Each structure stands twice: as structure tokens, then as C-alpha cells.
Amino acid sequence: EPEVTQTPSHQVTQMGQEVILRCVPISNHLYFYWYRQILGQKVEFLVSFYNNEISEKSEIFDDQFSVERPDGSNFTLKIRSTKLEDSAMYFCASRADSPYEQYFGPGTRLTVT
Amino acid sequence: AQSVSQHNHHVILSEAASLELGCNYSYGGTVNLFWYVQYPGQHLQLLLKYFSGDPLVKGIKGFEAEFIKSKFSFNLRKPSVQWSDTAEYFCAVSRGSSNTGKLIFGQGTTLQVKP
């Protein structure tokens, strides 16, 4: 069964450094998402991406964040200058045009020190 | 703003007990409803979904959920839990009219099943 994959599984970085989290969505899917879960809190929507552009973003997704689908298979989340509060589990998800369920990757645990 | 509330944060049951996890949402329009499960060390997996039609939906592993529109609820049930059901359960909602389909999650319920 096809699945969403994410790399790395765990990333440790120092405050102020740039990180890129990578995702490979399911191949025939059209909609792509990033969510995050700070330890002990809800899973929160960050951004959705469709037709090579951001279709919706949350208040969390400020100028420090960007997404890209550089080569038709990878979907990346970049954080330009990480802060301590960016420490969280980041989940990538994708879905087809129909039906509407999203398929999640295993997540990347980002630790900012 | 749209929100999802799960009433139980931590539930402990013995094997063969019945399970009901509550989920309420706060959006008045058409919604798509989901329950996801996260087993220890694994990623979020879809248990079941509701888009339209029969409000009683059946999912994998013997789970079912009932959509009650008048109560804005989508409670998850299982008649007899097993030790392997130990996991975290998330209710999620997306707006039916949304082009993006973003999911709003509840805070999750940790289910611990004692053998």
C-alpha cells in the first residue's frame, strides 16, 4: 500500500539555524499539507498546498516558514531561523482529489536547542 | 473559529469493556468528520470517516462512529476493546465547503487497555 514518507525522523538543530523537513507524498495525490504537534498539545494545521501554490495557511505559518514542491515528488517545509518554540513533531499529509481523507507520514521530530 | 473538543483525555479500560469516546465540533455548516488513531511509535492512521449519507459509519478493527448533526457530535464506539487498541485517538473535522480540506483536530484521547 502506498504511504507518505518523511525524512529525517529526528532533527536536532540550534536556535537560529535553518532546517528543511522533507516529505514524499503518495504519488497520485494532489493536495499536500503540513501539520505540527507540540508535545502534549493538539495536532495543528500549518499549511496546505495545491497546484504548486499555497492554498491556505494558519497564523503559525509566518514568514519564517516556506513550502516547496521542487521536483514533482518531494514536498518540503523550511524554517529559516528556528526558535525554541518550533520544537515539535511535524507531520506531512497528502490526499487525492476525491475522496477527502488525508494520509499522514510518520512525522519528523524537530528539537531546537 | 472552528474547534473540535474531545471530552476524555485519558481512558483506562479492561479488555472486553465497551468504549465510547466523545467528540464535538463547533462549525454549523457541512462538515467531513474523521477519527484517526496513533498506535505507539506509529503514524496517524484513518479509523473511519463520514462525508454524507448514513450517519452510522463503520471503520476498521470493529470501530464505528455516529454523526448526530443536532448535537454537533461524532462519537467513536467499540463494543469490546482489546489490549491492541491501546493508542491515542484523534477526532478531526474539515469543512465540507473547503477547497483545501484542512483538518482541525481535537486534543486527542489516550486509551489504555489493560489485559
Side-chain angles (χ1 to χ4, degrees):
Chain A
E1 185 178 330
E3 56 183 26
V4 177
T5 58
Q6 290 185 243
T7 54
S9 56
H10 191 185
Q11 173 94 46
V12 181
T13 189
Q14 290 189 326
M15 198 167 50
Q17 295 297 304
E18 174 184 286
V19 293
I20 297 176
L21 310 183
R22 302 180 193 279
C23 168
V24 179
I26 294 173
S27 63
N28 62 342
H29 284 186
L30 301 175
Y31 296 81
F32 313 108
Y33 306 84
W34 284 101
Y35 295 83
R36 79 172 185 190
Q37 186 180 28
I38 294 170
L39 190 63
Q41 298 186 24
K42 291 186 182 188
V43 176
E44 302 173 287
F45 167 79
L46 291 179
V47 66
S48 60
F49 192 84
Y50 171 72
N51 201 26
N52 282 320
E53 60 183 22
I54 290 173
S55 47
E56 188 171 356
K57 59 184 180 179
S58 71
E59 293 173 352
I60 304 166
F61 195 89
D62 61 21
D63 292 344
Q64 292 301 310
F65 291 87
S66 62
V67 288
E68 202 175 41
R69 189 159 158 78
D71 55 13
S73 61
N74 290 284
F75 179 51
T76 61
L77 174 69
K78 183 194 293 186
I79 309 174
R80 287 188 185 81
S81 178
T82 50
K83 305 171 195 165
L84 293 174
E85 54 264 37
D86 293 326
S87 294
M89 182 73 91
Y90 288 80
F91 294 103
C92 174
S94 69
R95 73 169 176 95
D97 192 25
S98 175
Y100 303 116
E101 61 255 42
Q102 296 178 25
Y103 292 82
F104 284 78
T108 293
R109 181 166 297 285
L110 176 65
T111 303
V112 182
T113 61
Chain B
Q2 193 176 2
S3 67
V4 178
S5 175
Q6 292 182 237
H7 314 301
N8 318 97
H9 289 232
H10 195 173
V11 173
I12 302 173
L13 294 173
S14 298
E15 275 195 314
S18 64
L19 170 72
E20 180 160 2
L21 301 182
C23 173
N24 286 90
Y25 63 93
S26 66
Y27 179 66
T30 305
V31 291
N32 301 314
L33 299 156
F34 307 85
W35 276 97
Y36 281 87
V37 61
Q38 188 173 31
Y39 297 104
Q42 297 189 27
H43 57 96
L44 287 161
Q45 300 173 38
L46 184 69
L47 262 184
L48 46 77
K49 60 187 184 285
Y50 172 82
F51 298 140
S52 63
D54 188 345
L56 184 63
V57 292
K58 296 194 183 300
I60 60 171
K61 306 188 181 187
F63 286 91
E64 65 178 33
E66 185 175 13
F67 170 49
I68 303 179
K69 190 174 181 180
S70 60
K71 295 185 178 180
F72 299 90
S73 71
F74 190 56
N75 292 354
L76 181 71
R77 300 194 291 247
K78 185 170 184 178
S80 176
V81 295
Q82 301 172 310
W83 176 78
S84 58
D85 293 324
T86 294
E88 187 144 19
Y89 292 81
F90 295 92
C91 180
V93 174
S94 68
R95 295 194 312 195
S97 59
S98 168
N99 289 330
T100 70
K102 75 174 186 185
L103 292 174
I104 305 297
F105 282 86
Q107 62 266 52
T109 297
T110 302
L111 172 65
Q112 184 182 352
V113 180
K114 294 186 172 179

